[in-house]
Amino acid sequence: MSRGSRRLCQALLVLCAAVPAVSLFPDAAAAEFRLCNRTQSRIGIALGYKDGDIWTTEGWWNVSANSCETLLRGELTARFYYLYAVDYDQGGEWAGKAYMCTREKEFTIKAADDCLARGFDRTGFFEVDTQEQKAWTVQLTESGQSKPAQANVPPPPPPPPRPR
């Protein structure tokens, strides 16, 4: 290697050492849409988002108690995403008023209209505003969950008095 080539290599090493590694190798894993289940139950997740001009829903991600799951990888391209979650163990759901198509088994469904006519379920998703960030994490807690309605059943009669 010539003396000039060695100096060029040394100069490049000094230049690279002066530039933070983050700018050289961006952390692609940090740009994503994640969901963290902060409950004691297993939950199922369905996600709705705009894919170009078409609304798309996908499901189901099964997320264990007190764990996180990446739903979308890469930089987020939209401001609003939509979620629906169901508590497999305790019952209840996290839902909203943005209706999109789902089904019981794993799915990817294009378009959010005429769900029932197309053989899908019509499910209410809640909106997540990512504020145009490139990465976002949603934390689901039991306080944000609506529990299933309890049947209106009268309480059992009191036990008979014990003999003395």
Side-chain angles (χ1 to χ4, degrees):
M1 182 180 274
S2 73
R3 183 179 231 172
S5 296
R6 272 185 281 201
R7 283 191 183 153
L8 178 60
C9 286
Q10 289 172 344
L12 287 174
L13 286 173
V14 170
L15 176 63
C16 289
V19 178
V22 174
S23 2
L24 289 176
F25 306 104
D27 183 6
E32 59 194 12
F33 188 86
R34 289 175 51 84
L35 180 128
C36 292
N37 173 10
R38 298 296 179 218
T39 74
Q40 299 303 309
S41 299
R42 292 174 311 113
I43 61 174
I45 304 295
L47 174 68
Y49 58 92
K50 198 93 180 239
D51 186 12
D53 291 336
I54 299 173
W55 283 103
T56 299
T57 52
E58 290 186 52
W60 294 99
W61 285 268
N62 295 307
V63 185
S64 300
N66 292 304
S67 67
C68 298
E69 183 75 31
T70 298
L71 306 183
L72 295 174
R73 296 193 186 283
E75 288 188 1
L76 302 182
T77 58
R79 178 173 178 173
F80 298 101
Y81 292 83
Y82 295 85
L83 286 171
Y84 172 77
V86 61
D87 184 323
Y88 291 139
D89 298 329
Q90 304 292 321
E93 63 185 1
W94 293 262
K97 296 183 182 193
Y99 290 95
M100 297 184 181
C101 304
T102 61
R103 67 178 207 165
E104 283 189 30
K105 298 185 183 217
E106 185 177 325
F107 65 89
T108 299
I109 301 171
K110 301 291 184 180
D113 54 341
D114 300 322
C115 298
L116 299 174
R118 296 190 300 147
F120 301 118
D121 297 321
R122 184 174 177 259
T123 305
F125 286 61
F126 68 90
E127 183 177 88
V128 176
D129 182 354
T130 66
Q131 303 170 9
E132 297 182 345
Q133 298 294 313
K134 298 301 179 197
W136 198 261
T137 299
V138 174
Q139 308 278 340
L140 287 185
T141 63
E142 289 167 352
S143 65
Q145 177 183 29
S146 60
K147 296 288 184 182
Q150 299 294 320
N152 193 4
V153 178
R162 291 199 278 180
R164 294 186 182 220

